[in-house]
């Protein structure tokens, strides 16, 4: 359960999140494109949940989101029922539990791009007792 969201149930606020990836939700009415947002924080910067899924609308589609982009949006905290597969009741049905999400999200805008960081894939470090390998001389060629 998302306890930090539970405390804000029914209230609208400003949130920030990091875009992770797009997904596809299949249903009997067709497919819906979704977006996975991670590291969701409130206006004071406190982490409210580790991830949330949103339906992708026109405004979000126009942002051309890339992995790692930070976005800001407004949403209302709401409750929903979900099946808790770990808690079964007597008639072989999963027990329903209340969880919390962000509903009626609007005003999406990009507030930051991911920072490019150099990966030390080919860098080698040598300790004080080790010598660096000798460079091959090009004079002999």
């Amino acid at each position: 359960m998302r306890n930090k969201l539970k405390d804000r149930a029914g209230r609208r606020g400003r949130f920030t999140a990091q875009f992770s990836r797009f997904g596809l939700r299949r249903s009997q009415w067709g497919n819906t494109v979704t977006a996975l947002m991670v590291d969701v924080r409130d206006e004071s910067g406190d982490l409210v949940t580790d991830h949330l899924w949103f339906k992708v609308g026109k405004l979000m589609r126009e942002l051309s989101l890339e992995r790692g982009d930070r976005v800001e949006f407004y949403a209302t905290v709401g409750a929903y029922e979900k099946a808790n597969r770990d808690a079964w009741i007597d008639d072989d049905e999963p027990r329903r539990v209340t969880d919390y999400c962000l509903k009626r999200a609007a005003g999406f805008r990009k507030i930051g791009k991911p920072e490019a960081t150099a990966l030390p894939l080919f860098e080698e470090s040598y300790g004080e007792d080790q010598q660096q390998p000798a460079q091959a001389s090009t004079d002999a060629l």
Side-chain angles (χ1 to χ4, degrees):
M1 180 188 300
R2 297 171 173 138
N3 290 324
K4 298 235 177 165
L5 287 177
K6 179 181 180 180
D7 299 337
R8 300 175 59 125
R11 295 195 333 229
R12 190 157 184 85
R14 182 174 53 88
F15 297 89
T16 59
Q18 181 178 344
F19 172 74
S20 179
R21 66 181 178 93
F22 289 108
L24 194 63
R25 181 178 180 188
R26 301 174 198 278
S27 72
Q28 63 187 12
W29 299 282
N31 297 331
T32 303
V33 178
T34 57
L36 175 61
M37 300 290 177
V38 297
D39 190 36
V40 182
R41 297 180 179 272
D42 63 10
E43 53 273 321
S44 62
D46 295 330
L47 184 71
V48 293
T49 185
D50 61 343
H51 78 283
L52 285 173
W53 287 92
F54 290 98
K55 290 181 185 176
V56 175
K58 180 181 176 185
L59 184 59
M60 195 184 298
R61 211 175 1 262
E62 290 173 353
L63 290 177
S64 301
L65 293 172
E66 298 175 10
R67 172 172 263 149
D69 283 345
R70 295 288 305 169
V71 295
E72 178 183 72
F73 57 95
Y74 294 88
T76 303
V77 178
Y80 70 99
E81 296 266 321
K82 72 176 186 177
N84 182 356
R85 305 221 183 272
D86 296 332
W88 294 84
I89 54 179
D90 294 335
D91 55 357
D92 292 332
E93 291 291 321
R95 180 164 295 167
R96 307 294 286 178
V97 295
T98 302
D99 202 1
Y100 295 86
C101 64
L102 296 178
K103 297 182 175 185
R104 295 185 292 282
F108 279 91
R109 69 182 186 102
K110 249 190 236 190
I111 58 172
K113 299 222 27 100
E115 293 183 15
T117 57
L119 298 176
L121 297 176
F122 301 106
E123 293 180 14
E124 295 182 24
S125 60
Y126 298 94
E128 293 178 11
D129 59 337
Q130 296 177 335
Q131 292 183 353
Q132 291 186 356
Q135 294 289 331
S137 174
T138 56
D139 296 336
L141 298 176

